Amino acid sequence: MKLKNCLSTLLILLFSHILYAQSSSIRLSGKLTDSTGTALPAATVILQKAADSSTYKMTSTDQTGQYAFEDLIAGNYLLSFTATGYTALRIVLPTISSSHSVGTTRLSQSADVLTGVTVTARKPLVELRPDKTVVNVDAAVTNVGATALEVLEKSPGVTVDRNGSISLKGKANVLILMDGKQTYLGAAELASFLNGLSASQLDQIEIMTNPSAKYDAAGSTGIINIKTKKNKVKGFNGSLTLAYGQGTYYKNNNSLLLNYRNGNYNLHFSYSTNINKAFTDIYAYRWYYQADNKTVTNRFEQPTSLRSPVVAHNLRTGIDYYLGKKTTVGLTVSGLRSNRTTEGYSYGEWFNQNNQTDSLITTTSDNKSVWTNLGANIYGRHVFTDGRELSADFDYLSYDIDNNQYYQNVLTGNNPYTDGLRGELPSKLHIFSGKVDYNHQLGKHTKLETGWKTSYVKTDNLARYELLHSGNWKPDYDKTNHFLYDETIHALYANAQQEVGKWNLQAGLRYEHTAYDANQLGNVMRKDSSFSRQYGSFFPTGFASYQADSANTFSVSAGRRIDRPAFSKLNPFVFVINKYTYQTGNPYYQPQFTWNFEFSHMFKQALITTLSYSVTNDYFSQIFFSDTNGLIIYTEGNLGKAENYGLSVSSQVALAPWWSLSAQANLNHKKINGVVVKSLSASITQLYLNINNQFRFGKGWNGEISGYYMTRAQNDLQEVLDPTGQLSAGVSKQILKNKGTLKFSVRDILYTQVMAGWTDFQQSREYFKLTRDSRVATLSFTWRFGKPIKGNSRKTGSSSDEIKERVGGN
């Protein structure tokens, strides 16, 4: 209680100071064109301090050549402009004390540009910034026809494991946002969602390893924010993308974006469809041991083939209404429907102690998944003065997920039999959340942010299983389960930013309180059970940067974060993967807490070197058990402690006027300690490399060669992964007077994106290898229509937060 009273007093004082403080915020804007007055899109604009020419802020021009810098401090500045094929220019601005328009600035064409060749400025693939890394999705030709998950897989520092879990710089539990909001999905469901989302709908991917206190404290590794394309230009305009890919099976991704703005109204609409078929081939070989873990008792070999056609539809529409220059309100409605059917066949062979065939078992499966997501967001934003702003977001999300499973097993050899299992696993979720944020500029060098957020989640999960016995279906009460879960999270935060000479300082404090009630309803074989918990914690963050000179910037950051278990992970019901592999929840699953520390050096906006250290207590990990009948049980829980020492180097350089290179290398040393039946420990050093080459050939032709490679790695205490990687290439051509684009690419050319490794269980060990339909050739066409004229834009981010990451889990 003392802790809560202290926090309340702190926030009251902070709000009092904000309400009576007087200041203003400054906006600087302008337009960039060539010598004929034609707009220059995607040019780089750098705002520098006049005193020492050090970089203060950086941005790029939009499709109309417009640019803007927000929340400036009064002072003297320089503006630098660079665009491919044009002579760089720097201008001196008058003393800035209020919002100011630079007007139109014109660049002259470079003398070395060949006559008759038009050079168009392009956004770089990767933008290196002190607080985050930004990936511009359209800048990569090999993203043509890809899904959002495939774009993530080849983004700097990002990896995706065989279960769909996303890691960043070798560390799991990253928080995934869509336009500042979470998807409210667990790893497997999130992977399915991103596989149903076309890359043509994506604009940028923001990667933040140590976000400030204004963000949810969830995500021990950091935050990846996937930003979709926004279009708020006057009149009627939009874009259409058609893409067809061919791997072993067909891949079809299409999207349509429409926008209409007239006066104070802005109507927007986007729709995408993903119709494809994929395969997953899984090979597993298990050794079973006696208690000494040395003497082999049995062996089991099981190749499995899965084929999955998918039809997914995504719809998003809404309206923004501008009440004036200071107030904006809006409503957005979104929907998603996905149908997936997975047909499987596996052939399992048991070997005795002498490595002789003992029996054979064949398994056929037919699993269907249909899930529907509906969402609505109401937002408002008001600027009281140039230095004070209030925004509010309220969200409602519902998920209706229907999973149906069917397995038939036929055993030949000793004691032959035929059995079957079928299950109905419907799940319903309702999520309500709301947040209010307030920003205030205090004087010339100080900015304060504060806010409140509350989220409420209600889930209803049913698992109804039946066994085939003597030709009749009978209830399987050992697996049948009905799980109800309610959770509420309240959060308050305050964040302050101060500029002192060459120093930029930021500190924040966030408090989150969580309360949940869970009920597992019984059946004729099992009694009801329930459990509840409440806990609260503070999450401090800190950041300091020092601009040594115009070329060198040093920064240090620290922060504490939390990861909460996915809702279904708390449910102790059984989810059948196959006859010899089950997954179950863990009602004793606790949140894990992580401290992150980073020290970075940036050189000329082109090279960033970072040293990092993180330590996690009550570490999340997959846990594997085996019984005497050969059944493997997979669950998750808290094991102990994990430490990660990291070194990363990111660079983006122009090797020639026609060739730009972006590269990242992450070296991690991981130490994991925990208890699974007995004390276990693991230590590994792993390296991740990501390289992307962008080529500009002239006359609208562009090309790309990219790839990544990961050495032997370990994400969990009991599982080690073999090296993997991929190589991709593509070309593009501007057509229809630059209103159309043709792209052709081939991903995973060498067919090396294979997931393989070893898992150690209690008295057993397994080698696994997972191969997917990853080598795909894709041809796409994009047509842009309408005249782009920049309009107001709304800030991304809503009350929807880390809850989305925790909905699924199976």
Side-chain angles (χ1 to χ4, degrees), residues 587-606:
Y588 306 105
Y589 209 169
Q590 303 291 321
Q592 70 174 18
F593 294 88
T594 301
W595 273 102
N596 293 315
F597 304 91
E598 287 190 349
F599 174 77
S600 299
H601 169 245
M602 173 181 279
F603 178 72
K604 289 187 175 180
Q605 308 286 331

Side-chain angles (χ1 to χ4, degrees), residues 512-528:
E512 293 188 355
H513 182 269
T514 305
Y516 66 76
D517 296 299
N519 290 279
Q520 183 185 2
L521 304 184
N523 53 48
V524 297
M525 300 287 292
R526 184 165 42 198
K527 295 182 178 180
D528 291 353

Side-chain angles (χ1 to χ4, degrees), residues 84 122 652-662 691-697 702-705:
T84 304
R122 302 170 65 244
Q652 181 161 318
V653 294
L655 300 179
W658 49 272
W659 179 12
S660 62
L661 169 71
S662 61
I691 298 177
N692 189 291
N693 297 273
Q694 297 284 317
F695 306 101
R696 294 177 293 278
F697 303 120
N702 295 286
E704 176 192 336
I705 298 177

